[in-house]
Every structure is written in structure tokens, then in C-alpha cells.
């Protein structure tokens, strides 16, 4: 199963709170059309209540994920699995649990198989999400993505960050 990071790979990384666009250049890096998984850290949403200009809310994250899944499906890459880490090392556990619960309510209709994690061991660069997705290759744009792939024992494809 091909696994993809989200921000900076499928959707824009910069200005992601107010504007979303999708990375058509990613399509030329992918092999033939097939189901894919998304494995993404979204821990910043825990800070959205206090800093909404910088961090997306759970609703905004879900909107972006839905748009990204629709984009991929339109080009022959239906998202079978959606794994999101809501954990952030600088956030209080109660706040992480609250945004994760909100996101869970929203993503349950986006992909057939999904999970929103709340623990550090699920946040990249740990390999838990990639292993849970059965990933055989991981496309990402950051050093932590490369580290997660290495920890999972799978190849990593570096995607130029889509801003």
C-alpha cells in the first residue's frame, strides 16, 4: 500500500489555514492508479483555539482531508486508509483528546478505514501509522517522514514540499 503524508505532499503546506490547493505534480511521482493510505501528523490543531490564524481547527483539517481524498480519487488513487496523529508534545493531554474527539466525528465519513491517534508513539517519526496502514512505501516532504519510513523498514520517496 502506498502511503502519503498530507500537508506539503497532497495539499499545500503554506497558508493552509485559509487556502487549500492540491499538488498535481505529486501524480507524476506515483505509480499506476491504485488505492492509497494517508498517514499524517495534525497535532497543531490542538492550538487552533488560541491561534486560529496559524493552526487549522479540527473542522478545517477534516475539510482539507476530504478535499485531498476527492482530489486523489478523481485521479485514480482512492484513499482506503486515513491515519491521523492528533498528538503534539507541547499540548496538554486533555486538549489533545478534545480535538481528536472532534476530528473523529468529522473524518468517519471520509475513508473506509480511519483512525485518529492521541499518543506520542503514533506520531511520526514513529512508524506506528505506517505499519498500521500496511505501507510498502511512504511519500513525504520532511525529515520526520523519512525517519518514519526508515523506522517502518520501507522505502521513502522525497516529494518537494508543496507550498
Amino acid at each position: 500500500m502506498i502511503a502519503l503524508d498530507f500537508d506539503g505532499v497532497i495539499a499545500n503546506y503554506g497558508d493552509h489555514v485559509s487556502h487549500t490547493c492540491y499538488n498535481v505534480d505529486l501524480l507524476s511521482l506515483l505509480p499506476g492508479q491504485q488505492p492509497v493510505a494517508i498517514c499524517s501528523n495534525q497535532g497543531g490543531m490542538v492550538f487552533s483555539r488560541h491561534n486560529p490564524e496559524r493552526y487549522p481547527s479540527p473542522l478545517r483539517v477534516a475539510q482539507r482531508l476530504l478535499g485531498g481524498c476527492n482530489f486523489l480519487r478523481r485521479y485514480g488513487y482512492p484513499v482506503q486508509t486515513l491515519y491521523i496523529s492528533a498528538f503534539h508534545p507541547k499540548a496538554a493531554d486533555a486538549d489533545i483528546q478534545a480535538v481528536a474527539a472532534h476530528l473523529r466525528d468529522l473524518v468517519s465519513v471520509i475513508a473506509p478505514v480511519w483512525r485518529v491517534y492521541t499518543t506520542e508513539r503514533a506520531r511520526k517519526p514513529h512508524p506506528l501509522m505506517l505499519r498500521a496502514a500496511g505501507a510498502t512505501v511512504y511519500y513525504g516532504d520532511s525529515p520526520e517522514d523519512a525517519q518514519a519510513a526508515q523506522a517502518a523498514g520501507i522505502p521513502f520517496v522525497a516529494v518537494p514540499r508543496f507550498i
Side-chain angles (χ1 to χ4, degrees):
M1 169 82 61
I2 294 171
L4 307 164
D5 183 30
F6 191 77
D7 295 312
V9 174
I10 298 169
N12 59 308
Y13 191 84
D15 197 25
H16 61 283
V17 173
S18 61
H19 176 73
T20 301
C21 49
Y22 300 101
N23 187 2
V24 294
D25 292 339
L26 169 65
L27 302 171
S28 66
L29 300 175
L30 297 173
Q33 298 174 340
Q34 61 188 287
V36 297
I38 294 174
C39 297
S40 177
N41 288 344
Q42 295 292 328
M45 69 182 165
V46 75
F47 304 116
S48 65
R49 191 170 44 145
H50 300 296
N51 196 346
E53 299 82 31
R54 182 167 180 204
Y55 298 104
S57 67
L59 175 59
R60 183 73 180 129
V61 169
Q63 290 168 337
R64 285 172 52 84
L65 290 167
L66 177 59
C69 290
N70 289 337
F71 163 76
L72 290 168
R73 184 179 58 248
R74 204 169 31 250
Y75 290 97
Y77 298 95
V79 175
Q80 293 280 3
T81 307
L82 178 62
Y83 289 136
I84 304 298
S85 173
F87 179 83
H88 196 285
K90 295 181 181 176
D93 187 58
D95 293 337
I96 294 168
Q97 297 299 328
V99 296
H102 189 187
L103 188 61
R104 284 182 187 112
D105 290 339
L106 299 167
V107 300
S108 63
V109 297
I110 295 176
V113 177
W114 61 271
R115 180 141 187 198
V116 177
Y117 294 95
T118 59
T119 62
E120 181 178 8
R121 71 185 185 93
R123 182 181 171 88
K124 295 177 300 175
H126 298 285
L128 188 141
M129 288 191 289
L130 296 176
R131 288 182 177 153
T136 56
V137 61
Y138 190 50
Y139 289 68
D141 66 325
S142 71
E144 76 181 359
D145 294 335
Q147 292 167 351
Q150 182 179 23
I154 61 174
F156 175 72
V157 177
V159 176
R161 179 164 281 176
F162 181 64
I163 298 178

